[in-house]
Amino acid sequence: MQKNCDNCKEQFNITNEDTAYLSRINVPPSDSCPTCREQRRMAFRNEKTLYHRTCNLCKKSIISIYSSNKPYPVYCQDCFWSDNWDPMEYGMKFDFSRPFFEQFNDLLRKTPRLAIINKQSQNSDYCNYSFGNKNCYLTFGDHYEEDSMYGRYSTKNKDCLDFLYLYESELCYECITSKKCYNSIHLINSQDCQDCFFSTDLQGCKDCLFSSNLRHKQYYILNEHHTKEEYLKKLQILKLHTYSGFSKAKKYFLNDFRKKFPFRAIYQTNCQNCEGSNHKNCKNIRSGFDCADCEDCAYIVQSDQTYDSMDVTCMGYDRSEVCYQTIGCTGIFNCIACDSCWHNNDLHYCNLAFSSKDSFGCVSIKRKQNCILNTQYTKEQYEEMLPRIIEHMKKTGEWGQFFPMSISPFGYNETIANEYHSLTKDQALAMGAK
């Protein structure tokens, strides 16, 4: 079935697979194309724009993703996770005479928010969308990292600097989309490598320089084999330990080196029936990019361990399953339209929910169940109200749609939406963003 997007007006297809999935989760097909749906989600994710401000509870100076002129109360890590306040104090009764998004915006504006999304980390105050990090600085979307700086969308690295999509590596600098590498510099799309420099698409290699598309090789320069003595002598001549030598090598790697060797059209490793590039250990991915250990997903970007899901962005690194229209979530199951929710199940339209289940339209809840708009209900009351709310949202055209840009806590230019879908200020305002 073909439709014209209600936002960009471009024609897009709703496939049979889309229809079957949406029918299974009781959601109508969207009137927006996949790109516009992604843009709407991304307008809620501020990764790298950090501010100094004051915690609204303890009054200490903190680092936050919310500028001081934002209308939301913001709590530091210690205050947010403490028992010194109760998010249920801000609860509201659902009003069936009003659209849900209006009510949710009222709840957003008064419920305290986590200053920076950084859970169970140690000495890593400047890290955002991070979990379980230790001694890290300015890493974004990174989990289980140690002694690392300036990383993004990576996990389980140690002593690494300036990296992107790096996994389980140590002592690496400027490495991208690589895994299990050690003491290496400027590696791209490589795995299980040690002491390799300025190279691409290596696997199981050691002591390689300016090489590409090699497997289980050692002492190679420009894909030519050398003895150990020859290799070390050439390294000395290049003087990579000096600023001038390193800069010259980097310039060559980013320019003439790229013309010397062929590059794969797309990068997929151990994948089956997948569309898109930079996938590892994936199966049945439609319209996806930058995924690892994902299966049976569509319209998915930058996700790990995500299964049976559609329209999801920045998911992982703990397993998530049966998710629709979610962003910045990890370890969730059977959730619809959730933003920055970790380790939950059966949530709908929640933001900053942690270790909770069976809740709808909640903000900043922790270890809760059977809640609606931060109001506690019994199991029976919740199960009676939820279908009524869904029917109400179907009538207002909200059910299945992600939150509108107009209620995002961030300006469009503060979010990753502006990285992937750049807009001028006037264009953003015309779309309803801030």
Side-chain angles (χ1 to χ4, degrees), residues 129-349:
Y129 288 102
S130 299
F131 183 87
N133 291 341
K134 181 180 180 182
N135 302 331
C136 292
Y137 179 69
L138 290 180
T139 63
F140 304 101
D142 287 22
H143 295 205
Y144 308 110
E145 307 275 62
E146 187 173 346
D147 300 319
S148 298
M149 296 190 292
Y150 315 127
R152 200 171 186 191
Y153 303 148
S154 302
T155 184
K156 297 180 181 176
N157 300 298
K158 184 176 182 181
D159 289 307
C160 292
L161 182 70
D162 287 344
F163 51 97
L164 174 68
Y165 297 122
L166 184 64
Y167 300 84
E168 302 174 48
S169 297
E170 187 173 353
L171 288 171
C172 288
Y173 173 67
E174 289 275 10
C175 292
I176 301 175
T177 55
S178 297
K179 184 177 182 180
K180 293 185 177 179
C181 294
Y182 178 81
N183 195 38
S184 296
I185 295 173
H186 278 285
L187 286 188
I188 301 177
N189 295 110
S190 298
Q191 184 169 334
D192 296 309
C193 293
Q194 179 177 330
D195 299 306
C196 292
F197 313 114
F198 300 104
S199 297
T200 65
D201 201 358
L202 305 183
Q203 291 192 23
C205 294
K206 295 180 179 180
D207 302 293
C208 291
L209 172 68
F210 296 135
S211 294
S212 183
N213 310 311
L214 299 183
R215 302 293 182 264
H216 309 290
K217 302 295 185 181
Q218 188 173 16
Y219 302 127
Y220 273 69
I221 300 176
L222 292 172
N223 282 29
E224 294 182 0
H225 182 254
H226 295 67
T227 65
K228 180 179 178 180
E229 293 74 18
E230 291 172 336
Y231 180 84
L232 294 176
K233 185 177 180 180
K234 291 210 172 188
L235 279 185
Q236 286 183 336
I237 294 173
L238 289 171
K239 297 182 179 179
L240 296 181
H241 61 286
T242 68
Y243 180 81
S244 59
F246 187 89
S247 298
K248 185 177 179 180
K250 181 177 179 179
K251 183 178 180 181
Y252 174 77
F253 177 66
L254 296 177
N255 292 281
D256 291 345
F257 173 81
R258 303 300 178 94
K259 305 170 186 176
K260 191 172 182 64
F261 300 103
F263 287 79
R264 283 197 261 173
I266 59 172
Y267 283 91
Q268 295 185 3
T269 303
N270 193 30
C271 293
Q272 178 181 343
N273 190 32
C274 293
E275 297 174 351
S277 192
N278 286 344
H279 296 320
K280 294 181 177 64
N281 306 320
C282 293
K283 182 179 179 182
N284 301 331
I285 302 296
R286 291 187 296 119
S287 188
F289 294 91
D290 306 312
C291 297
D293 304 301
C294 296
E295 188 171 335
D296 299 322
C297 294
Y299 317 117
I300 177 173
V301 175
Q302 203 286 295
S303 296
D304 290 67
Q305 294 198 45
T306 304
Y307 297 78
D308 195 19
S309 297
M310 178 173 164
D311 281 324
V312 294
T313 308
C314 299
M315 300 286 291
Y317 295 90
D318 297 324
R319 180 179 177 128
S320 295
E321 192 169 350
V322 193
C323 302
Y324 177 67
Q325 287 276 33
T326 58
I327 183 168
C329 299
T330 183
I332 64 172
F333 174 79
N334 194 32
C335 293
I336 294 175
C338 288
D339 168 27
S340 306
C341 295
W342 293 7
H343 308 118
N344 311 278
N345 63 272
D346 299 286
L347 300 186
H348 304 80
Y349 290 93

Side-chain angles (χ1 to χ4, degrees), residues 382-395:
Y382 179 82
E383 291 177 349
E384 186 273 331
M385 281 195 66
L386 183 59
R388 291 178 58 204
I389 292 173
I390 292 173
E391 287 304 310
H392 173 72
M393 291 181 66
K394 286 181 178 179
K395 292 176 182 177

